[in-house]
PDB file of all heavy atoms in Angstrom:
ATOM      1  N   ASP A 111     -29.949  59.096  48.192  1.00 96.00           N
ATOM      2  CA  ASP A 111     -29.744  57.674  47.939  1.00 96.00           C
ATOM      3  C   ASP A 111     -28.954  57.089  49.099  1.00 96.00           C
ATOM      4  O   ASP A 111     -27.961  57.683  49.540  1.00 96.00           O
ATOM      5  CB  ASP A 111     -28.995  57.453  46.618  1.00 96.00           C
ATOM      6  CG  ASP A 111     -28.891  55.980  46.261  1.00 96.00           C
ATOM      7  OD1 ASP A 111     -29.900  55.263  46.429  1.00 96.00           O
ATOM      8  OD2 ASP A 111     -27.824  55.530  45.820  1.00 96.00           O
ATOM      9  N   THR A 112     -29.405  55.938  49.615  1.00 96.00           N
ATOM     10  CA  THR A 112     -28.710  55.281  50.727  1.00 96.00           C
ATOM     11  C   THR A 112     -28.395  53.844  50.330  1.00 96.00           C
ATOM     12  O   THR A 112     -29.012  53.296  49.411  1.00 96.00           O
ATOM     13  CB  THR A 112     -29.585  55.294  52.003  1.00 96.00           C
ATOM     14  OG1 THR A 112     -30.805  54.585  51.747  1.00 96.00           O
ATOM     15  CG2 THR A 112     -29.910  56.717  52.432  1.00 96.00           C
ATOM     16  N   PRO A 113     -27.453  53.176  51.023  1.00 96.00           N
ATOM     17  CA  PRO A 113     -27.099  51.794  50.677  1.00 96.00           C
ATOM     18  C   PRO A 113     -28.269  50.840  50.859  1.00 96.00           C
ATOM     19  O   PRO A 113     -29.133  51.058  51.713  1.00 96.00           O
ATOM     20  CB  PRO A 113     -25.976  51.459  51.676  1.00 96.00           C
ATOM     21  CG  PRO A 113     -25.443  52.786  52.109  1.00 96.00           C
ATOM     22  CD  PRO A 113     -26.598  53.712  52.109  1.00 96.00           C
ATOM     23  N   VAL A 114     -28.276  49.763  50.062  1.00 95.00           N
ATOM     24  CA  VAL A 114     -29.342  48.768  50.205  1.00 95.00           C
ATOM     25  C   VAL A 114     -29.129  47.894  51.429  1.00 95.00           C
ATOM     26  O   VAL A 114     -30.034  47.170  51.841  1.00 95.00           O
ATOM     27  CB  VAL A 114     -29.487  47.880  48.954  1.00 95.00           C
ATOM     28  CG1 VAL A 114     -29.897  48.702  47.758  1.00 95.00           C
ATOM     29  CG2 VAL A 114     -28.213  47.102  48.683  1.00 95.00           C
ATOM     30  N   PHE A 115     -27.939  47.912  52.021  1.00 94.00           N
ATOM     31  CA  PHE A 115     -27.735  47.191  53.277  1.00 94.00           C
ATOM     32  C   PHE A 115     -27.183  48.148  54.329  1.00 94.00           C
ATOM     33  O   PHE A 115     -26.508  49.122  54.021  1.00 94.00           O
ATOM     34  CB  PHE A 115     -26.826  45.963  53.111  1.00 94.00           C
ATOM     35  CG  PHE A 115     -25.515  46.238  52.439  1.00 94.00           C
ATOM     36  CD1 PHE A 115     -24.408  46.625  53.176  1.00 94.00           C
ATOM     37  CD2 PHE A 115     -25.379  46.064  51.068  1.00 94.00           C
ATOM     38  CE1 PHE A 115     -23.190  46.862  52.560  1.00 94.00           C
ATOM     39  CE2 PHE A 115     -24.160  46.295  50.441  1.00 94.00           C
ATOM     40  CZ  PHE A 115     -23.069  46.694  51.190  1.00 94.00           C
ATOM     41  N   GLU A 116     -27.534  47.860  55.574  1.00 93.00           N
ATOM     42  CA  GLU A 116     -27.154  48.695  56.705  1.00 93.00           C
ATOM     43  C   GLU A 116     -26.498  47.818  57.770  1.00 93.00           C
ATOM     44  O   GLU A 116     -26.635  46.589  57.753  1.00 93.00           O
ATOM     45  CB  GLU A 116     -28.395  49.369  57.318  1.00 93.00           C
ATOM     46  CG  GLU A 116     -29.092  50.374  56.430  1.00 93.00           C
ATOM     47  CD  GLU A 116     -28.465  51.758  56.494  1.00 93.00           C
ATOM     48  OE1 GLU A 116     -27.603  51.978  57.377  1.00 93.00           O
ATOM     49  OE2 GLU A 116     -28.842  52.617  55.667  1.00 93.00           O
ATOM     50  N   ARG A 117     -25.786  48.457  58.689  1.00 91.00           N
ATOM     51  CA  ARG A 117     -25.314  47.723  59.863  1.00 91.00           C
ATOM     52  C   ARG A 117     -26.534  47.261  60.642  1.00 91.00           C
ATOM     53  O   ARG A 117     -27.499  48.011  60.832  1.00 91.00           O
ATOM     54  CB  ARG A 117     -24.415  48.612  60.715  1.00 91.00           C
ATOM     55  CG  ARG A 117     -23.155  49.030  59.956  1.00 91.00           C
ATOM     56  CD  ARG A 117     -22.271  49.975  60.747  1.00 91.00           C
ATOM     57  NE  ARG A 117     -21.707  49.318  61.921  1.00 91.00           N
ATOM     58  CZ  ARG A 117     -22.007  49.618  63.181  1.00 91.00           C
ATOM     59  NH1 ARG A 117     -22.889  50.580  63.417  1.00 91.00           N
ATOM     60  NH2 ARG A 117     -21.454  48.987  64.172  1.00 91.00           N
ATOM     61  N   LYS A 118     -26.518  46.020  61.105  1.00 90.00           N
ATOM     62  CA  LYS A 118     -27.714  45.407  61.682  1.00 90.00           C
ATOM     63  C   LYS A 118     -28.258  46.197  62.870  1.00 90.00           C
ATOM     64  O   LYS A 118     -29.464  46.298  63.064  1.00 90.00           O
ATOM     65  CB  LYS A 118     -27.404  43.961  62.092  1.00 90.00           C
ATOM     66  CG  LYS A 118     -28.641  43.175  62.496  1.00 90.00           C
ATOM     67  CD  LYS A 118     -28.308  41.721  62.768  1.00 90.00           C
ATOM     68  CE  LYS A 118     -29.540  40.960  63.212  1.00 90.00           C
ATOM     69  NZ  LYS A 118     -29.234  39.539  63.485  1.00 90.00           N
ATOM     70  N   GLU A 119     -27.380  46.780  63.673  1.00 90.00           N
ATOM     71  CA  GLU A 119     -27.844  47.505  64.845  1.00 90.00           C
ATOM     72  C   GLU A 119     -28.628  48.762  64.465  1.00 90.00           C
ATOM     73  O   GLU A 119     -29.419  49.268  65.255  1.00 90.00           O
ATOM     74  CB  GLU A 119     -26.663  47.862  65.747  1.00 90.00           C
ATOM     75  CG  GLU A 119     -25.654  48.840  65.128  1.00 90.00           C
ATOM     76  CD  GLU A 119     -24.555  49.207  66.103  1.00 90.00           C
ATOM     77  OE1 GLU A 119     -24.827  49.259  67.310  1.00 90.00           O
ATOM     78  OE2 GLU A 119     -23.421  49.436  65.640  1.00 90.00           O
ATOM     79  N   ILE A 120     -28.431  49.262  63.257  1.00 91.00           N
ATOM     80  CA  ILE A 120     -29.194  50.425  62.791  1.00 91.00           C
ATOM     81  C   ILE A 120     -30.664  50.051  62.626  1.00 91.00           C
ATOM     82  O   ILE A 120     -31.572  50.831  62.965  1.00 91.00           O
ATOM     83  CB  ILE A 120     -28.636  50.944  61.454  1.00 91.00           C
ATOM     84  CG1 ILE A 120     -27.213  51.480  61.631  1.00 91.00           C
ATOM     85  CG2 ILE A 120     -29.551  52.009  60.845  1.00 91.00           C
ATOM     86  CD1 ILE A 120     -27.123  52.733  62.475  1.00 91.00           C
ATOM     87  N   LEU A 121     -30.928  48.845  62.123  1.00 90.00           N
ATOM     88  CA  LEU A 121     -32.298  48.415  61.864  1.00 90.00           C
ATOM     89  C   LEU A 121     -32.970  47.799  63.079  1.00 90.00           C
ATOM     90  O   LEU A 121     -34.208  47.761  63.157  1.00 90.00           O
ATOM     91  CB  LEU A 121     -32.313  47.400  60.710  1.00 90.00           C
ATOM     92  CG  LEU A 121     -31.663  47.843  59.389  1.00 90.00           C
ATOM     93  CD1 LEU A 121     -31.811  46.743  58.347  1.00 90.00           C
ATOM     94  CD2 LEU A 121     -32.277  49.130  58.879  1.00 90.00           C
ATOM     95  N   ALA A 122     -32.198  47.304  64.027  1.00 84.00           N
ATOM     96  CA  ALA A 122     -32.747  46.569  65.172  1.00 84.00           C
ATOM     97  C   ALA A 122     -33.628  47.462  66.036  1.00 84.00           C
ATOM     98  O   ALA A 122     -33.308  48.620  66.299  1.00 84.00           O
ATOM     99  CB  ALA A 122     -31.614  45.978  66.001  1.00 84.00           C
ATOM    100  N   GLY A 123     -34.766  46.896  66.467  1.00 80.00           N
ATOM    101  CA  GLY A 123     -35.630  47.580  67.417  1.00 80.00           C
ATOM    102  C   GLY A 123     -36.476  48.691  66.832  1.00 80.00           C
ATOM    103  O   GLY A 123     -37.044  49.492  67.585  1.00 80.00           O
ATOM    104  N   LYS A 124     -36.625  48.740  65.506  1.00 80.00           N
ATOM    105  CA  LYS A 124     -37.392  49.831  64.884  1.00 80.00           C
ATOM    106  C   LYS A 124     -38.711  49.373  64.290  1.00 80.00           C
ATOM    107  O   LYS A 124     -39.557  50.199  63.960  1.00 80.00           O
ATOM    108  CB  LYS A 124     -36.565  50.477  63.750  1.00 80.00           C
ATOM    109  CG  LYS A 124     -35.126  50.810  64.089  1.00 80.00           C
ATOM    110  CD  LYS A 124     -34.988  51.769  65.224  1.00 80.00           C
ATOM    111  CE  LYS A 124     -33.538  52.204  65.451  1.00 80.00           C
ATOM    112  NZ  LYS A 124     -32.567  51.137  65.628  1.00 80.00           N
ATOM    113  N   TYR A 125     -38.898  48.055  64.156  1.00 79.00           N
ATOM    114  CA  TYR A 125     -40.037  47.574  63.375  1.00 79.00           C
ATOM    115  C   TYR A 125     -41.033  46.727  64.156  1.00 79.00           C
ATOM    116  O   TYR A 125     -41.922  46.119  63.557  1.00 79.00           O
ATOM    117  CB  TYR A 125     -39.530  46.780  62.163  1.00 79.00           C
ATOM    118  CG  TYR A 125     -38.635  47.609  61.270  1.00 79.00           C
ATOM    119  CD1 TYR A 125     -37.264  47.357  61.197  1.00 79.00           C
ATOM    120  CD2 TYR A 125     -39.147  48.652  60.515  1.00 79.00           C
ATOM    121  CE1 TYR A 125     -36.439  48.128  60.381  1.00 79.00           C
ATOM    122  CE2 TYR A 125     -38.330  49.425  59.700  1.00 79.00           C
ATOM    123  CZ  TYR A 125     -36.977  49.147  59.637  1.00 79.00           C
ATOM    124  OH  TYR A 125     -36.169  49.913  58.827  1.00 79.00           O
ATOM    125  N   GLY A 126     -40.915  46.664  65.487  1.00 73.00           N
ATOM    126  CA  GLY A 126     -41.870  45.908  66.278  1.00 73.00           C
ATOM    127  C   GLY A 126     -41.888  44.446  65.883  1.00 73.00           C
ATOM    128  O   GLY A 126     -40.840  43.817  65.704  1.00 73.00           O
ATOM    129  N   GLU A 127     -43.099  43.902  65.715  1.00 71.00           N
ATOM    130  CA  GLU A 127     -43.245  42.479  65.381  1.00 71.00           C
ATOM    131  C   GLU A 127     -42.744  42.147  63.987  1.00 71.00           C
ATOM    132  O   GLU A 127     -42.501  40.980  63.662  1.00 71.00           O
ATOM    133  CB  GLU A 127     -44.714  42.066  65.521  1.00 71.00           C
ATOM    134  CG  GLU A 127     -45.222  42.138  66.961  1.00 71.00           C
ATOM    135  CD  GLU A 127     -46.641  41.622  67.099  1.00 71.00           C
ATOM    136  OE1 GLU A 127     -47.246  41.267  66.064  1.00 71.00           O
ATOM    137  OE2 GLU A 127     -47.137  41.567  68.224  1.00 71.00           O
ATOM    138  N   ASP A 128     -42.589  43.152  63.133  1.00 76.00           N
ATOM    139  CA  ASP A 128     -42.100  42.907  61.773  1.00 76.00           C
ATOM    140  C   ASP A 128     -40.581  42.734  61.711  1.00 76.00           C
ATOM    141  O   ASP A 128     -40.032  42.504  60.632  1.00 76.00           O
ATOM    142  CB  ASP A 128     -42.503  44.065  60.848  1.00 76.00           C
ATOM    143  CG  ASP A 128     -43.982  43.993  60.478  1.00 76.00           C
ATOM    144  OD1 ASP A 128     -44.597  42.943  60.736  1.00 76.00           O
ATOM    145  OD2 ASP A 128     -44.513  44.983  59.942  1.00 76.00           O
ATOM    146  N   ALA A 129     -39.906  42.847  62.841  1.00 81.00           N
ATOM    147  CA  ALA A 129     -38.446  42.700  62.848  1.00 81.00           C
ATOM    148  C   ALA A 129     -38.022  41.340  62.310  1.00 81.00           C
ATOM    149  O   ALA A 129     -36.930  41.192  61.747  1.00 81.00           O
ATOM    150  CB  ALA A 129     -37.904  42.902  64.256  1.00 81.00           C
ATOM    151  N   LYS A 130     -38.894  40.346  62.473  1.00 84.00           N
ATOM    152  CA  LYS A 130     -38.565  39.001  61.986  1.00 84.00           C
ATOM    153  C   LYS A 130     -38.481  38.928  60.467  1.00 84.00           C
ATOM    154  O   LYS A 130     -37.988  37.945  59.909  1.00 84.00           O
ATOM    155  CB  LYS A 130     -39.616  37.999  62.490  1.00 84.00           C
ATOM    156  CG  LYS A 130     -41.024  38.255  61.982  1.00 84.00           C
ATOM    157  CD  LYS A 130     -42.015  37.256  62.569  1.00 84.00           C
ATOM    158  CE  LYS A 130     -43.437  37.514  62.049  1.00 84.00           C
ATOM    159  NZ  LYS A 130     -43.994  38.785  62.557  1.00 84.00           N
ATOM    160  N   LEU A 131     -38.950  39.961  59.785  1.00 88.00           N
ATOM    161  CA  LEU A 131     -38.937  39.971  58.323  1.00 88.00           C
ATOM    162  C   LEU A 131     -37.656  40.560  57.745  1.00 88.00           C
ATOM    163  O   LEU A 131     -37.491  40.613  56.529  1.00 88.00           O
ATOM    164  CB  LEU A 131     -40.139  40.774  57.802  1.00 88.00           C
ATOM    165  CG  LEU A 131     -41.520  40.308  58.257  1.00 88.00           C
ATOM    166  CD1 LEU A 131     -42.602  41.193  57.633  1.00 88.00           C
ATOM    167  CD2 LEU A 131     -41.763  38.848  57.899  1.00 88.00           C
ATOM    168  N   ILE A 132     -36.747  41.016  58.601  1.00 89.00           N
ATOM    169  CA  ILE A 132     -35.499  41.605  58.117  1.00 89.00           C
ATOM    170  C   ILE A 132     -34.584  40.513  57.563  1.00 89.00           C
ATOM    171  O   ILE A 132     -34.415  39.459  58.170  1.00 89.00           O
ATOM    172  CB  ILE A 132     -34.788  42.370  59.250  1.00 89.00           C
ATOM    173  CG1 ILE A 132     -35.636  43.590  59.670  1.00 89.00           C
ATOM    174  CG2 ILE A 132     -33.398  42.821  58.820  1.00 89.00           C
ATOM    175  CD1 ILE A 132     -35.073  44.324  60.871  1.00 89.00           C
ATOM    176  N   PHE A 133     -33.990  40.763  56.413  1.00 90.00           N
ATOM    177  CA  PHE A 133     -33.026  39.842  55.809  1.00 90.00           C
ATOM    178  C   PHE A 133     -31.651  40.098  56.418  1.00 90.00           C
ATOM    179  O   PHE A 133     -31.019  41.124  56.151  1.00 90.00           O
ATOM    180  CB  PHE A 133     -32.935  40.070  54.302  1.00 90.00           C
ATOM    181  CG  PHE A 133     -33.855  39.206  53.484  1.00 90.00           C
ATOM    182  CD1 PHE A 133     -34.973  39.728  52.873  1.00 90.00           C
ATOM    183  CD2 PHE A 133     -33.587  37.855  53.316  1.00 90.00           C
ATOM    184  CE1 PHE A 133     -35.814  38.940  52.104  1.00 90.00           C
ATOM    185  CE2 PHE A 133     -34.409  37.046  52.558  1.00 90.00           C
ATOM    186  CZ  PHE A 133     -35.532  37.587  51.948  1.00 90.00           C
TER     187      PHE A 133
END
Side-chain angles (χ1 to χ4, degrees):
D111 186 42
T112 61
V114 296
F115 52 88
E116 294 276 350
R117 297 177 66 247
K118 189 175 178 180
E119 65 177 328
I120 295 293
L121 305 182
K124 313 300 186 306
Y125 301 109
E127 294 185 357
D128 284 347
K130 63 182 180 292
L131 303 181
I132 294 174
F133 267 107

